């Protein structure tokens, strides 16, 4: 059976960490936090489809033969800003 150490790469869906948290390096940070650094870790940004596209990219990475095991996930944090500021950011004002 596979263990976390068998994970070869990470694809992390995230739309807004740079906008809401001032941090755009979400994927490498997540790899480090879960003990998988220095594996390749890519943040996938595609608005509301970010995690779905991250899943697609993970599938492509495995299907292409580049990797056997890819960890895919998605994260967002919008709770530290007032609702009005979150709304403004989401609509691109």
């Amino acid at each position: 059976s596979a263990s976390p150490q068998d994970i070869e790469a990470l694809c992390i869906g995230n739309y807004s960490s740079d906008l809401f948290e001032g941090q755009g390096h979400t994927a490498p940070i997540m790899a480090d936090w879960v003990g998988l650094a220095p594996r390749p870790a890519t943040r996938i940004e595609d608005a509301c489809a970010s995690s779905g596209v991250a899943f697609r990219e993970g599938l492509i990475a495995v299907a292409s033969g580049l990797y056997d095991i890819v960890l895919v996930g998605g994260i967002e944090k919008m709770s530290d800003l007032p609702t009005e500021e979150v709304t403004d950011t989401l609509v691109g004002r």
Side-chain angles (χ1 to χ4, degrees):
S1 74
S3 76
Q5 295 309 312
D6 295 327
I7 296 168
E8 299 169 290
L10 297 87
C11 293
I12 306 295
N14 175 265
Y15 162 63
S16 63
S17 65
D18 52 341
L19 301 171
F20 294 123
E21 293 295 313
Q23 179 56 262
H25 297 88
T26 311
I29 289 172
M30 293 306 297
D32 185 46
W33 286 355
V34 299
L36 296 174
R39 287 167 183 78
T42 304
R43 173 185 170 205
I44 308 294
E45 189 284 310
D46 197 8
C48 295
S50 296
S51 294
V53 175
F55 182 69
R56 177 183 182 274
E57 293 301 309
L59 285 174
I60 290 170
V62 172
S64 72
L66 183 61
Y67 300 114
D68 292 318
I69 300 175
V70 176
L71 176 64
V72 176
I75 54 171
E76 294 295 342
K77 182 178 180 222
M78 302 179 188
S79 58
D80 286 346
L81 296 174
T83 301
E84 182 177 316
E85 195 170 335
V86 170
T87 303
D88 287 347
T89 300
L90 290 175
V91 297
R93 292 185 206 173

